[in-house]
Amino acid sequence: MLEKSSWKALLSSILKAAFVALVISLMYVPIVIIIYQSFNAGANSITPLEWGGFTWDNFAEIFTNRELYTPILDSLLVSLWATVLATIGGLFASIGIHALDKKARKTMDFLNEIPMMNSEIVTGISIMLLCSLVKPLFPYIFGFTSMAIAHIFFMIPYVILMVLPKLEQLDESVFEAAQDLGCSPTKALFKVIIPSLSTAILTGALIAFTLSIDDFVISFYTQGNGFTNFSNYVYSSYTKRNFSAGSYAFDALLTFVTLGIVLFVSLRSAHKHKEAK
């Protein structure tokens, strides 16, 4: 017979395992369902998860269905440009924040956290109103421009959040040593500091791209007529009952690409860490 304390320990272990299993299920079951539907020939039907046989046609539809690939291209266009500009802006903002004194740095850290804590609907409506105010001067601002501005606005804080801690870990004497060896401050920045931050920069860019490619709320208020991203297309097409199964395929493709990038970065970091030892 197990003692009372043993029963409590066993029950605690079971509850912990059940909780971990529940969290993992909530995280990964939706991804598994998307991948399942991407290869499902019956995914076009309204009945969810009804297996109609294995097919590659859903992936082919990404390139053949104009109503699908147009918002996909719009999404990629916005996300790529916004990621590049937000990464550059976040990098140099991090360097500027790092150069401040301790009190000013804390203030900037607080200000950087506000856009991340702010509700997406507030951000989306605010940028929509701002674009509306300048529309008489820039008639075509709604569309790619408004959506890109909105995405850059909410992506920069995440890049700063990734880059700034790594920047604070760098030895400042490295920058001084580069200058002693003949580098100008600008050359030392680009030749020494930025390469040292490459992992943090890549991580920030990946997070920024992920946030941009699947954003719905902010994009909904800033998309304009004739320009929409993939998430808004999915919402619109599903509510209108003309949902394309190629949407599942594109989601699965994004998952595979993201997983591949994460594995590449992880293996590269592990290899560098092993070499350093």
Side-chain angles (χ1 to χ4, degrees), residues 34-57:
I34 290 293
I35 296 173
Y36 166 86
Q37 289 288 77
S38 67
F39 295 103
N40 182 10
N44 274 315
S45 61
I46 302 301
T47 306
L49 304 182
E50 182 179 322
W51 182 250
F54 182 88
T55 184
W56 291 100
D57 292 343

Side-chain angles (χ1 to χ4, degrees), residues 51-69:
W51 182 250
F54 182 88
T55 184
W56 291 100
D57 292 343
N58 295 339
F59 288 89
E61 196 167 346
I62 297 174
F63 307 98
T64 58
N65 186 345
R66 183 180 178 84
E67 291 184 359
L68 175 61
Y69 69 68

